[in-house]
Amino acid sequence: MEFEAVIGLEVHAQLKTDSKIFCACSTAFGRQANSNTCPVCTGMPGVLPVLNRKVVDFALKAALATGSTVRRESIFARKNYFYPDLPKGYQISQYELPIAEGGFVEIDTKGGRKRINLTRIHMEEDAGKLLHEAEFEQSHFSLVDFNRTAVPLLEIVSEPEIRSPEEGGAYLRMLRDILVYLDICDGNMEEGSFRCDANVSVRPRGQSAFGTKTELKNMNSFRNVEKALEYEIGRQIGAIEEGGQVIQETRLWDVAAEKTVSMRTKEEAHDYRYFPDPDLVPLEIDEGWIEKIRESIPELPLAKRDRFQREYNIPAYDSEVLCQSRALADFFEAAVAVHGNAKAISNLLMTEVLRELNKDRVDITETKLTPSHIAGIVKATDEGVISGKIGKEIFQIVYQTGDDPVKIIEEKGLRQVSDEAAIEKIAQKVIDAHPGEATTYREGKKGVLGFFVGQVMRETKGKANPALVNEILKRLLEP
């Protein structure tokens, strides 16, 4: 029997506000434990929450960018449960009337573009964080840090329309890109500002009814999400094929063991005894507020990818890489505006530039590079002023110093040598020094030409015109 996976994803995205959702405490990450707290976010008696307007602005941005329907009135509810990191004994969330419903995220799959519909988007506060003295099983006690308590979150729930781990990964990457483009979430999974839970079930292919689902937690990277989904799908299929059953439960992804393990039985929504929060009035949103937010939404990553392919005639892979970061995409366009060789600029950004950014773990806006620097290096290469090899060396200097590439070329004497007589003299010297390789070439093994080109480039310290070197060597090596 052939099975298919049914996957729905619940994403918790931390919003980039300076203060928490219902009080003025800082949301800064990494502060001393329990220093970003106050009586409101720790639920002391006699205090009242006040909704942070920027949280609503950001929620509206996410809703409009994903084509969701914004509710003119939404309410906050109390989600009741006990856990040591929840000081009030309930979480303020939204349940029956969320801020937005419907909408979609489009992803590129092997089968083409696919739309994953959204169920809802709602606002809520985060819980605190438990810290253990050692691995959880060996710990004798736990500590709690309330700094994260009441940090604003968006929960974005997809319909169960994802059919493979790869689609799940593509959906998460695209959703994160959208939120980062909107500048409402930093998308940092390692710090927990973009988290994902997955509801997974399997069913015989062609069957419409859903199978019993499990919920997966503790996946802190896209790769771990894909691995966890792959493992869980296989585990459920194996259980059914062996005559067993899938139990509705919450399972934890064990990164080290690369498997899911049972955590607890899965609760239902009614177990949380939701009811409207009496301390918060219904949230009303008028058309003027929505239109003001709509005007602030930038071009989104998928639209930008499509435009880059169409407008700059670059491959889909290039446009995907360049548009993963709004800053990098803007940098690319600014460089192309200076010098129009889009493909060469794309190549330089995807290789030399991204390698340095990843190594230094910085954004391109945090470097000394400017679009004119990159355009200048490509332009000098295109015009034959420097070779591609020298261009890479100049890039390294520019990256470290921020100096103008033209100035570097002149000061260091890096102009490309195109003097045919001078290159021919060096080429003949190289051939004379390697008679065996010359004979091999003349006997038909034309690949040896690369060896001679390399020798000439070494003799000229990379400054010889490569095209001219090839032409001269071929002529001199002919029998």
Side-chain angles (χ1 to χ4, degrees):
M1 182 182 297
E2 186 178 0
F3 290 87
E4 73 170 359
V6 178
I7 303 166
L9 297 177
E10 297 177 5
V11 167
H12 288 91
Q14 180 179 325
L15 298 176
K16 285 176 63 178
T17 57
D18 293 331
S19 56
K20 294 183 178 180
I21 185 170
F22 299 120
C23 65
C25 288
S26 170
T27 57
F29 180 82
R31 294 273 179 88
Q32 182 180 0
N34 296 310
S35 60
N36 291 345
T37 60
C38 74
V40 175
C41 58
T42 52
M44 295 294 108
V47 296
L48 291 173
V50 177
L51 179 60
N52 184 335
R53 184 184 176 93
K54 185 165 278 188
V55 173
V56 183
D57 286 347
F58 286 178
L60 290 174
K61 274 192 173 185
L64 295 173
T66 53
S68 302
T69 301
V70 176
R71 296 188 63 89
R72 294 299 188 271
E73 180 177 298
S74 64
I75 62 172
F76 284 95
R78 291 187 178 182
K79 181 181 181 182
N80 299 278
Y81 66 97
F82 171 77
Y83 207 67
D85 63 4
L86 194 65
K88 294 194 293 286
Y90 61 84
Q91 177 189 27
I92 302 177
S93 181
Q94 293 190 301
Y95 181 54
E96 290 179 315
L97 297 177
I99 191 168
E101 295 172 308
F104 60 87
V105 171
E106 288 188 307
I107 60 172
D108 286 328
T109 71
K110 292 178 181 175
R113 191 154 290 179
K114 178 176 178 178
R115 176 175 291 190
I116 306 296
N117 289 297
L118 302 181
T119 308
R120 56 191 279 142
I121 297 175
H122 70 248
M123 300 171 286
E124 65 182 23
E125 61 179 357
D126 206 346
K129 184 177 182 181
L130 290 181
L131 305 168
H132 312 292
E133 59 166 331
E135 292 297 322
F136 182 75
E137 292 78 5
Q138 287 81 43
S139 294
H140 295 92
F141 61 87
S142 296
L143 302 172
V144 61
D145 180 4
F146 289 124
N147 279 354
R148 206 174 66 180
T149 301
V151 163
L153 300 178
L154 278 190
E155 181 169 323
I156 303 169
V157 183
S158 83
E159 290 288 303
E161 297 175 345
I162 297 166
R163 294 290 175 265
S164 69
E166 293 75 21
E167 286 188 12
Y171 167 82
L172 289 175
R173 289 182 179 92
M174 181 53 68
L175 180 57
R176 187 192 65 167
D177 288 351
I178 290 171
L179 300 181
V180 172
Y181 264 61
L182 294 172
D183 200 24
I184 64 174
C185 173
D186 66 19
N188 190 324
M189 294 188 78
E190 290 182 358
E191 293 181 0
S193 51
F194 187 85
R195 312 195 291 270
C196 166
D197 298 335
N199 290 304
V200 187
S201 65
V202 298
R203 64 185 176 188
R205 189 171 295 282
Q207 176 181 300
S208 58
F210 293 148
T212 302
K213 68 181 178 183
T214 58
E215 183 181 34
L216 305 185
K217 289 183 176 293
N218 195 40
M219 301 169 290
N220 63 355
S221 72
F222 295 126
R223 186 64 190 130
N224 277 331
V225 172
E226 292 172 340
K227 283 183 175 180
L229 289 173
E230 187 174 354
Y231 176 87
E232 182 61 15
I233 291 166
R235 188 191 71 83
Q236 292 189 16
I237 292 173
I240 294 170
E241 288 180 336
E242 293 172 4
Q245 290 184 325
V246 175
I247 300 170
Q248 181 167 313
E249 62 182 347
T250 298
R251 297 181 68 85
L252 199 68
W253 172 242
D254 186 328
V255 177
E258 295 201 338
K259 65 178 184 179
T260 64
V261 294
S262 182
M263 185 178 175
R264 60 173 184 258
T265 56
K266 180 78 176 80
E267 60 283 348
E268 300 287 353
H270 61 256
D271 293 328
Y272 290 110
R273 306 185 316 282
Y274 284 96
F275 64 86
D277 192 308
D279 290 340
L280 289 161
V281 297
L283 173 63
E284 295 184 355
I285 298 170
D286 60 29
E287 193 60 31
W289 193 350
I290 293 173
E291 286 310 308
K292 183 179 177 184
I293 296 298
R294 194 189 304 278
E295 291 170 2
S296 70
I297 293 177
E299 182 182 34
L300 295 174
L302 196 58
K304 194 180 284 286
R305 280 191 208 174
D306 292 344
R307 182 172 64 79
F308 274 19
Q309 290 180 62
R310 186 176 60 251
E311 192 170 322
Y312 299 114
N313 195 30
I314 58 175
Y317 175 78
D318 291 38
S319 65
E320 182 178 349
V321 172
L322 295 172
C323 293
Q324 284 176 355
S325 157
R326 182 177 168 186
L328 184 64
D330 291 346
F331 190 100
F332 165 76
E333 288 209 272
V336 174
V338 178
H339 180 65
N341 190 342
K343 179 54 182 164
I345 288 173
S346 169
N347 289 344
L348 190 54
L349 288 174
M350 292 194 303
T351 54
E352 305 303 311
V353 176
L354 282 183
R355 180 165 54 244
E356 295 302 321
L357 298 184
N358 291 333
K359 186 178 74 178
D360 294 340
R361 300 175 70 85
V362 296
D363 185 86
I364 197 162
T365 58
E366 301 174 84
T367 70
K368 296 175 181 175
L369 288 177
T370 68
S372 294
H373 287 151
I374 299 301
I377 293 171
V378 173
K379 183 172 184 286
T381 307
D382 287 348
E383 292 176 348
V385 176
I386 57 173
S387 66
K389 182 175 182 296
I390 293 295
K392 292 178 181 178
E393 293 178 14
I394 291 173
F395 164 75
Q396 288 295 332
I397 300 171
V398 173
Y399 183 77
Q400 296 298 330
T401 64
D403 287 347
D404 179 61
V406 174
K407 177 185 170 191
I408 295 169
I409 292 168
E410 299 304 331
E411 285 185 351
K412 294 188 175 293
L414 296 174
R415 276 186 172 273
Q416 186 166 254
V417 176
S418 295
D419 183 329
E420 187 169 347
I423 293 175
E424 183 171 332
K425 185 177 179 181
I426 295 170
Q428 188 59 63
K429 176 184 168 188
V430 167
I431 292 170
D432 292 343
H434 300 87
E437 286 80 358
T439 301
T440 301
Y441 178 88
R442 287 168 180 142
E443 289 175 348
K445 293 188 177 179
K446 303 300 184 186
V448 181
L449 183 67
F451 165 77
F452 286 108
V453 172
Q455 294 299 312
V456 174
M457 295 306 288
R458 190 170 70 174
E459 288 286 327
T460 60
K461 298 181 179 176
K463 293 192 288 185
N465 183 326
L468 195 54
V469 170
N470 272 272
E471 179 186 323
I472 291 171
L473 281 169
K474 285 179 182 176
R475 175 161 49 80
L476 295 177
L477 285 166
E478 284 304 312

